[in-house]
Amino acid sequence: MAIEILEIQKEHCPAARLIGKRYEAAPNWGEWWQNGWFDRLEAQPRLPFNQDAYFGMVRIQGGRPERWIGMLFPPETPVPEGFEAADIPPMDYAVCYLKDKEGSPDFYAPETHEKCLKAIEAAGMTRFEDNWCFERYQCPRFTTPDEQGNVILDYGISVL
């Protein structure tokens, strides 16, 4: 596994409204690009925590993973037609800044999640079980490779 954790930061996200689409199976990022759904969401003011990024988020609901693609907005933001929303209370996240080659499948491997959990614990933080985790695809960190072809993915796990 080539993934490198550059750093871990504890970040606070105020109350937020996740607006996007919920998936029972693997999320379909391709349909977002084909349908221009991010363009529709970007027309609304987002939370600064969002960092103008797209989010892949997951939480456990009823014992099953609930996956989302979307963006974070202030609470009470109207939900555009064709989208869904989940209201998220104020929460702290341990954000692992992951570095690897552009297109690396290791970003999404269960082993990477486990590596982050161990690093978070070593940093003295405690995971908030079955609560939100996210992938924050921030431009240009994730979209513009460095000289060695590496990009950085923000991987957040809710903590107590």
Side-chain angles (χ1 to χ4, degrees), residues 16-20 57 68 70-73 84-88 132:
R17 175 164 280 175
L18 170 61
I19 298 177
M57 298 189 72
W68 288 76
M71 299 177 82
L72 296 176
F73 297 88
E84 300 174 80
D87 291 322
I88 302 172
W132 291 100

Side-chain angles (χ1 to χ4, degrees), residues 10-112:
K10 188 173 187 179
E11 297 182 18
H12 179 75
C13 182
R17 175 164 280 175
L18 170 61
I19 298 177
K21 299 210 180 254
R22 179 182 3 213
Y23 296 84
E24 290 187 25
N28 186 342
W29 288 86
E31 70 182 352
W32 278 78
W33 305 119
Q34 292 169 346
N35 295 313
W37 291 338
F38 285 120
D39 294 336
R40 290 184 51 206
L41 292 183
E42 287 176 335
Q44 300 187 74
R46 296 168 299 283
L47 282 180
F49 183 83
N50 203 74
Q51 298 185 6
D52 289 332
Y54 306 136
F55 278 77
M57 298 189 72
V58 65
R59 68 176 170 179
I60 303 300
Q61 287 286 93
R64 299 175 46 115
E66 178 184 277
R67 295 171 178 87
W68 288 76
I69 296 176
M71 299 177 82
L72 296 176
F73 297 88
E76 313 294 325
T77 298
V79 180
E81 186 177 334
F83 292 92
E84 300 174 80
D87 291 322
I88 302 172
M91 195 170 304
D92 289 331
Y93 293 90
V95 180
C96 297
Y97 290 85
L98 305 175
K99 179 180 176 180
D100 201 356
K101 298 292 180 201
E102 181 180 29
S104 171
D106 288 342
F107 281 123
Y108 316 105
E111 295 83 8
T112 299

Side-chain angles (χ1 to χ4, degrees), residues 1 5 96 109-121 127 155 157:
M1 177 180 292
I5 299 175
C96 297
E111 295 83 8
T112 299
H113 178 77
E114 291 302 318
K115 183 176 184 175
C116 288
L117 287 175
K118 288 178 184 168
I120 288 166
E121 184 178 324
R127 177 184 181 190
Y155 187 73
I157 298 173

